[in-house]
C-alpha cells in the first residue's frame, strides 16, 4: 500500500471514480454486496477492485468485460422448485429473472472460489473468473446439470396451480 507523502497516511487502493463504478454498476454492486460480511462494504469493494486489477495484469484485457462474460457463462436461465402433487413431491421448472440469475451465478462463483488454494480472496476470485472464461471451471458442469434437470422435469410445468 502506498503512503501519501503529505499526510503520512496510506492512500486508498480504490480511487473515487472506481468506487462510483462499483456502487453504480448493477453487476459490480451485486457482487460487492454478496462478498460483504458484517457490513464491511469497503473491504468487499477492495476485494473486487484488486481482483479486477489482478485480471487486468494477467490477461491485459478489460477486467469488467471478463467479469460480465464469466457471469453470463455461468448464469442459469431456469431453476426447479419442489411442489407437492398429491402425496408426491415433484420438481417444477421456473424461469428466473435477471437479478435471480445473476445472484445464483455469483453464489456459485464465490462458493467455488472459496475452495481454491490461493491464500488471498482477490486471487481466488480472479482465478475462478479466469477459469470460467477459459472453460476449466466446475461451475459450467453445475449449470449443465441444472439445465438437464429442468429439461427432464419440463412435463411438470402445468401441474401447479396458478393464481
Amino acid at each position: 500500500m502506498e503512503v501519501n507523502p503529505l499526510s503520512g497516511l496510506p492512500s486508498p487502493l480504490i480511487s473515487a471514480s472506481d468506487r462510483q463504478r462499483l456502487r453504480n454498476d448493477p453487476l459490480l454492486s451485486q457482487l460487492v454486496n454478496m462478498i460483504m460480511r458484517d457490513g464491511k462494504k469497503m473491504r468487499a469493494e477492495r476485494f473486487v477492485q484488486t481482483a479486477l486489477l489482478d485480471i487486468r495484469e494477467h490477461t491485459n484485457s478489460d477486467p469488467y468485460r471478463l467479469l460480465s462474460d464469466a457471469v453470463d457463462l455461468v448464469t442459469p436461465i431456469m431453476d426447479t422448485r419442489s411442489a407437492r402433487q398429491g402425496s408426491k413431491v415433484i420438481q417444477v421448472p421456473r424461469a428466473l429473472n435477471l437479478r435471480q440469475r445473476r445472484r445464483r451465478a455469483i453464489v456459485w462463483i464465490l462458493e467455488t472460489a472459496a475452495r481454491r488454494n490461493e491464500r488471498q480472496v482477490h486471487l481466488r476470485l480472479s482465478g475462478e473468473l479466469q477459469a470460467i472464461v477459459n472453460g476449466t471451471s466446475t461451475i459450467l458442469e453445475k449449470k449443465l446439470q441444472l439445465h438437464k434437470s429442468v429439461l427432464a422435469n419440463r412435463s411438470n410445468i402445468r401441474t401447479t396451480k396458478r393464481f
Side-chain angles (χ1 to χ4, degrees):
M1 184 174 281
E2 296 178 17
V3 176
N4 187 343
L6 298 176
S7 66
L9 298 172
S11 61
L13 290 174
I14 304 172
S15 67
S17 62
D18 288 341
R19 187 172 298 120
Q20 284 300 322
R21 185 171 184 187
L22 282 172
R23 292 189 178 180
N24 292 336
D25 185 77
L27 175 62
L28 287 175
S29 65
Q30 191 170 8
L31 177 63
V32 166
N33 289 336
M34 296 283 300
I35 292 174
M36 180 176 56
R37 295 286 177 253
D38 300 325
K40 299 193 182 292
K41 193 166 196 167
M42 288 294 293
R43 186 177 184 201
E45 287 176 353
R46 190 172 59 243
F47 288 152
V48 172
Q49 185 65 33
T50 52
L52 293 176
L53 291 173
D54 189 53
I55 289 171
R56 174 172 283 150
E57 183 180 308
H58 284 276
T59 62
N60 291 329
S61 64
D62 182 21
Y64 179 74
R65 175 165 282 149
L66 190 133
L67 172 69
S68 61
D69 288 346
V71 170
D72 287 342
L73 284 172
V74 176
T75 301
I77 298 170
M78 297 192 70
D79 189 16
T80 58
R81 296 199 74 163
S82 297
R84 290 185 55 91
Q85 183 180 26
S87 62
K88 294 189 308 183
V89 176
I90 59 173
Q91 297 294 319
V92 179
R94 66 181 178 110
L96 299 173
N97 66 30
L98 177 65
R99 189 155 177 89
Q100 291 171 331
R101 290 188 301 224
R102 274 199 319 234
R103 184 182 193 289
R104 179 70 54 95
I106 291 170
V107 166
W108 286 350
I109 290 170
L110 294 178
E111 285 175 355
T112 310
R115 285 179 281 188
R116 292 180 69 91
N117 291 330
E118 287 93 352
R119 294 179 61 91
Q120 296 174 326
V121 175
H122 64 89
L123 294 176
R124 287 186 293 215
L125 180 60
S126 66
E128 188 58 37
L129 292 173
Q130 291 174 29
I132 291 168
V133 171
N134 293 335
T136 59
S137 178
T138 58
I139 303 175
L140 300 171
E141 296 171 16
K142 192 173 191 175
K143 177 187 171 185
L144 186 62
Q145 289 298 323
L146 177 66
H147 281 258
K148 283 183 182 178
S149 171
V150 167
L151 283 176
N153 292 302
R154 67 182 181 261
S155 63
N156 297 333
I157 289 177
R158 285 186 227 109
T159 60
T160 60
K161 293 180 183 176
R162 304 214 188 258
F163 295 103

